[in-house]
C-alpha cells in the first residue's frame, strides 16, 4: 500500500476529476500541475536538508559537531540562513548589465527544474518517461553552462569573469567523458528511456558490469557540479566565489539552490544508471521503491560530500589534463571493451 | 599504484566521521583554565590595607584607590579599575603584599556599553569619625608617578 501511495493519489485525483464530468485533458493538466508542485516541494525540502547535511558532514569529517543552535540539533539552521538571504537587499553593481545580471539567478534554476521531469522517483513515478530520457538529461544540463557564463559576464567583475571562463572550460570538458562513460550503459540496454534502463538492472546493477564507467561518471559528475576537488570556478582563496561574487541575498540563494539541485540530479543519474534506480536489492521489496530510490540518491550525495571534505582543490592545468588525457581515452576504451564484450556474449549466445 | 593516495585520504576522513568529536560546546561547557590564568580581578577587602602599592605598580594608571583616615589608620573606601586600559600584566597582583588583589578564572568581560567597563571592586561609605573630616586622597592621581 505504501508502495503505491503516490501513484494511487494520482489515480484518485484523475478519477475524481473524471467523476466531476470534466474532460480528460483538464484532468491531465491538473495532474501535471500537481506533479510540478510536488517536484518543487521535493527540491525545496531536499535542498534545505542537503545544505544542513553538508554542514553536518563537513563538521563530522573534521571531528567537529557542526550547526546545533537553531532548532533541535540545528535542524532549522538552513531555514534561518534562507530567511536571512531573502531579507537582504539586492545590490546591483553600477557597471553590471542589469537585465542579464538579474535574469541569470532565475534562469539557472530552469534547467535543474526541467531535468526533474525525467527523474524516476519510483515504480511508475516518473513525471515524463521520455524515450530519449538520458539524452534529454544531458542536453538540458548543458544549458546551465551558458547561464553560469552570462551571470559571470554580467557582473562586470574580473573575478566573476575568470570564474565564468573556468566554469565554461570545466563543464564542457567534463561533459565529454561523462557522456562517453554513460554510452557503455546505453549500449548494453539499447534504450535511453529511464524506466528501460532501470528494468534492465533487475538481475545485476550496472555498477558491477560497468565499474570503469561508474568511476568516470562519478569523477565527471563531481566536476559538473563544481564541487571540490573541481571547485575551480569558486576557488575561495583565488577568485573568492567566481561567477557568484557580485550576487547577494536572494540572487545568491538562487545560485546556491541550483547548485544543490544539480547535486541531487547527478546523484539521481548515478542511481538510475548504475545503482539500479528504484529496484530493491536482495529482494527487500517490502520497502517501497521510492524509499529505495531516496536512500540510493542520498548515499550518492553522501559520497560526493565525502569527496568534498577529503580532497584539496586541483589546478586548472591539472583539471584539463586529467579530463582530456585520462578520462576521455579511458571512457573511449570502456566503450570499445563493452562493444567487444557484447559481441562475444552475443556470439556465444547468452 | 596510482590512486592509492586518494583511497587513503577517503579512509582517513571516514575514520574521522566516527571518532569522538573534539568540540567543546562553549557557553555550556569550557576547557579548564591554567591555575595562573590572568582573568578578571577580585579584591579581598578584608585583606586590603589601602597601601596603594598596586596602583603605583600599574604601568597604565588603571587602578584608582580612594582611602579615608580612621584614627591613624588608612582605610579603603573605593577601589576601581579602568579595565579598558588594563594589560592584565599582573604587576598589581605581584605588588600586593597582602595577597588582596588577585586574578580570578573569569574571562567573559565583554560589556554592551563603554561606561560599564570600569570594574568597581569596592565602594564603601567612609567610616564615621568623631572629630576629623574625611581626607580622602586619590592614590593614583595624587602620586602621578610611573613605574
Amino acid at each position: 500500500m505504501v508502495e503505491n501511495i503516490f501513484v494511487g493519489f494520482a489515480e484518485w485525483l484523475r478519477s475524481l476529476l473524471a467523476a466531476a464530468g470534466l474532460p480528460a485533458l483538464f484532468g491531465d493538466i491538473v495532474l501535471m500541475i500537481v506533479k510540478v508542485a510536488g517536484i518543487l516541494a521535493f527540491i525545496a525540502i531536499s535542498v534545505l536538508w542537503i545544505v544542513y547535511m553538508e554542514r553536518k558532514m563537513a563538521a563530522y569529517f573534521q571531528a567537529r559537531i557542526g550547526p546545533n543552535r537553531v532548532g533541535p540539533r540545528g535542524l532549522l539552521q538552513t531555514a534561518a540562513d534562507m530567511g536571512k538571504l531573502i531579507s537582504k537587499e539586492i545590490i546591483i553593481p553600477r557597471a553590471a548589465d542589469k537585465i542579464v545580471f538579474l535574469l541569470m539567478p532565475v534562469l539557472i534554476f530552469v534547467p535543474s527544474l526541467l531535468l526533474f521531469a525525467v527523474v524516476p522517483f519510483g515504480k511508475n513515478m516518473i513525471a515524463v518517461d521520455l524515450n530519449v530520457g538520458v539524452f534529454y538529461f544531458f542536453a538540458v544540463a548543458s544549458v546551465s553552462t551558458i547561464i553560469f557564463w552570462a551571470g559571470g559576464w554580467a557582473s562586470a567583475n574580473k573575478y566573476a569573469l575568470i570564474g565564468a571562463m573556468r566554469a565554461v572550460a570545466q563543464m564542457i570538458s567534463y561533459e565529454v567523458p561523462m557522456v562517453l562513460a554513460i554510452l557503455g550503459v546505453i549500449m548494453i540496454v539499447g534504450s535511453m528511456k529511464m524506466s528501460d534502463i532501470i528494468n534492465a538492472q533487475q538481475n545485476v546493477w550496472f555498477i558491477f558490469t560497468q565499474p570503469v564507467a561508474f568511476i568516470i561518471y562519478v569523477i565527471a559528475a563531481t566536476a559538473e557540479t563544481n564541487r571540490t576537488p573541481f571547485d575551480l570556478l569558486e576557488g575561495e582563496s583565488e577568485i573568492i566565489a567566481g561567477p557568484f561574487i557580485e550576487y547577494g541575498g536572494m540572487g545568491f540563494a538562487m545560485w546556491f539552490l541550483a547548485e544543490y539541485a544539480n547535486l541531487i540530479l547527478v546523484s539521481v543519474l548515478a542511481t538510475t544508471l548504475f545503482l539500479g534506480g528504484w529496484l530493491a536489492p536482495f529482494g527487500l521489496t517490502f520497502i517501497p521503491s521510492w524509499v529505495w530510490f531516496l536512500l540510493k540518491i542520498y548515499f550518492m550525495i553522501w559520497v560526493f560530500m565525502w569527496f568534498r571534505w577529503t580532497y584539496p582543490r586541483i589546478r586548472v592545468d591539472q583539471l584539463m589534463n586529467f579530463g582530456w588525457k585520462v578520462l576521455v581515452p579511458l571512457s573511449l576504451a570502456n566503450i570499445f571493451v563493452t562493444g567487444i564484450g557484447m559481441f562475444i556474449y552475443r556470439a556465444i549466445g547468452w | 599504484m596510482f590512486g592509492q593516495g586518494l583511497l587513503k585520504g577517503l579512509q582517513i576522513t571516514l575514520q574521522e566521521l566516527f571518532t569522538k568529536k573534539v568540540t567543546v560546546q562553549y557557553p555550556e561547557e569550557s576547557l579548564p583554565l591554567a591555575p595562573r590564568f590572568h582573568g578578571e580581578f577580585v579584591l579581598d577587602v578584608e585583606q586590603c590595607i589601602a597601601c596603594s602599592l598596586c596602583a603605583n605598580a600599574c604601568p597604565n594608571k588603571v587602578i584608582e584607590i580612594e582611602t579615608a583616615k580612621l584614627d591613624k589608620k588608612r582605610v579603603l573606601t573605593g577601589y576601581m579599575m579602568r579595565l579598558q586600559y588594563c594589560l592584565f600584566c599582573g604587576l598589581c597582583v605581584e605588588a600586593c603584599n597582602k595577597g588582596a588583589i588577585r586574578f580570578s578564572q573569569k574571562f567573559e568581560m565583554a560589556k554592551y556599553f563603554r561606561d560599564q567597563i570600569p570594574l568597581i571592586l569596592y565602594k564603601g561609605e567612609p567610616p564615621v569619625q568623631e572629630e576629623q573630616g574625611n581626607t580622602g586622597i586619590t592614590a593614583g592621581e595624587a602620586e602621578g608617578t610611573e613605574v
Side-chain angles (χ1 to χ4, degrees), chain A residues 32 35 39 114-136 191-199 272 278:
Chain A
M32 204 42 92
K35 278 176 185 172
I39 286 170
L114 285 174
L115 289 180
F116 272 96
V118 292
V119 170
F121 286 102
K123 202 178 273 180
N124 303 325
M125 274 173 64
I126 176 163
V128 189
D129 199 2
L130 291 175
N131 56 358
V132 287
V134 178
F135 179 67
Y136 169 85
S191 166
M192 288 199 280
K193 205 170 177 176
M194 291 290 197
S195 51
D196 284 353
I197 293 169
I198 291 170
N199 285 325
T272 311
W278 37 257

